[in-house]
Amino acid sequence: MPELPEVETLCRQLQQIVINTRIEKTCILDSKLTIPDCLEGQSIVFVNRRGKNLVLGLNNGKRLEIHLRMTGRLLWQQEGEKPPHSRFIMNLSSGRVIVVDPRRFATLSLVADKDQEDQLVVDALSPGCGEILREKGIKRMRPVKSFLMDQQIIGGIGNIYACEILYQAGLAPIRKTASLSPDDWMLVEKATAAILSKAIECRGTSISDWRDLFGHKGEYQNELRVYGREGKNCLRCGEIIKRVRFLGRGTWFCPNCQI
Ligand SMILES: [Zn+2]
């Protein structure tokens, strides 16, 4: 599932090629998607990211928001056949952007620029997010892993990076947020910044179907230190890494050095 580094990768790649280009034609290939006709004729004036959403700003002041959900991805093409599971095509003057999504959970929506009611959610890459998280978590008896993955609290972190962040911070996924000290939150902030930045540099994690805008695999799967490593030795203390199912998601951790 694309998380912050994957969406940020698409965002940066799109910024290089679609800014100030005109949407000439759109084509919906999936009846689940409804996109107003008014995209055609608009130019893309900016591309940015809000949590795990990709935001394309149009010159009429509206924004096209794309949420890739489980298996969605974007592909840039200048020629060739559209790939299997293509759901939406946006033809630009210089090429086309295709939404490819085998499981069909991705969503596209057109929103007015002022509709930013959840703008106040802190982004996982924001400096100082540790202090904001501490304030939000201090009174909650909530497992820190689900807290970090809650998009109403902090934008961008999903299962893979939550496991990696908590491993690096030395915190057990089930630790209640109210029990974390200010130093613990600092460690969470540092680990979040380091891991997400490195993952963006690597263009995301391709353990299943993730590909970047040009169809290339990311490389952060080679950097994972705990995710997917059950039965192997902890790289920090040598203990055996465990995998448990926690709140419906596979969760990897070291029972010795994550406390
Ligand atoms: Zn360990």
Side-chain angles (χ1 to χ4, degrees), residues 167 233-241 253-258:
Y167 175 78
N233 293 102
C234 172
L235 297 168
R236 194 159 45 202
C237 76
E239 183 67 54
I240 304 294
I241 298 291
F253 67 102
C254 172
N256 183 46
C257 66
Q258 286 180 256

Side-chain angles (χ1 to χ4, degrees), residues 7-254:
V7 179
E8 182 68 24
T9 296
L10 291 174
C11 180
R12 293 182 184 188
Q13 292 178 327
L14 282 169
Q15 284 168 347
Q16 301 299 315
I17 49 178
V18 306
I19 303 287
N20 295 325
T21 60
R22 191 165 168 271
I23 302 170
E24 299 194 331
K25 192 169 166 39
T26 58
C27 185
I28 297 170
L29 303 168
D30 183 348
S31 56
K32 266 179 90 179
L33 296 174
T34 49
I35 306 294
D37 297 336
C38 57
L39 288 178
E40 291 180 5
Q42 295 297 314
S43 292
I44 297 169
V45 292
F46 66 83
V47 181
N48 60 28
R49 179 186 58 75
R50 191 173 55 81
K52 300 185 200 173
N53 286 279
L54 202 54
V55 183
L56 275 61
L58 307 175
N59 63 337
N60 63 2
K62 295 193 173 172
R63 303 175 305 152
L64 176 65
E65 292 211 0
I66 304 173
H67 197 307
L68 298 166
R69 311 281 171 193
M70 298 288 289
T71 54
R73 63 188 185 95
L74 298 185
L75 179 69
W76 172 253
Q77 265 191 343
Q78 285 180 302
E79 55 186 20
E81 289 289 304
K82 64 180 189 299
H85 310 298
S86 295
R87 302 294 179 207
F88 176 70
I89 301 177
M90 190 162 65
N91 287 289
L92 308 173
S93 36
S94 50
R96 60 184 187 174
V97 176
I98 307 180
V99 177
V100 181
D101 186 10
R103 294 184 63 183
R104 303 173 62 204
F105 288 118
T107 54
L108 290 88
S109 52
L110 197 64
V111 293
D113 210 23
K114 56 183 171 49
D115 295 346
Q116 294 190 353
E117 65 284 349
D118 54 354
Q119 207 180 17
L120 294 176
V121 171
V122 63
D123 189 77
L125 274 185
S126 301
C129 76
E131 180 57 24
I132 296 168
L133 291 179
R134 190 184 71 80
E135 284 169 14
K136 290 184 179 180
I138 202 159
K139 289 182 186 149
R140 298 187 203 214
M141 293 302 285
R142 186 161 172 196
V144 63
K145 185 182 178 220
S146 74
F147 183 81
L148 289 180
M149 288 171 63
D150 186 338
Q151 302 304 301
Q152 303 305 313
I153 291 171
I154 177 169
I157 301 172
N159 198 39
I160 295 176
Y161 299 107
C163 289
E164 292 294 313
I165 289 165
L166 292 173
Y167 175 78
Q168 184 160 322
L171 294 168
I174 56 165
R175 266 285 289 276
K176 299 286 192 286
T177 51
S179 75
L180 268 62
S181 68
D183 284 352
D184 290 332
W185 287 113
M186 279 300 295
L187 289 173
V188 168
E189 180 178 340
K190 273 190 184 169
T192 302
I195 286 166
L196 297 181
S197 303
K198 178 70 179 169
I200 293 167
E201 224 176 87
C202 291
R203 292 171 299 98
T205 302
S206 291
I207 42 174
S208 55
D209 44 15
W210 163 250
R211 300 289 183 275
D212 71 9
L213 187 63
F214 307 108
H216 302 131
K217 283 187 173 187
E219 290 171 350
Y220 196 74
Q221 62 278 15
N222 304 319
E223 309 289 329
L224 296 172
R225 294 176 66 80
V226 72
Y227 184 93
R229 296 192 70 248
E230 72 268 28
K232 296 186 178 158
N233 293 102
C234 172
L235 297 168
R236 194 159 45 202
C237 76
E239 183 67 54
I240 304 294
I241 298 291
K242 282 200 167 160
R243 177 191 189 275
V244 292
R245 205 158 175 83
F246 178 58
L247 301 175
R249 304 298 302 271
T251 299
W252 288 261
F253 67 102
C254 172

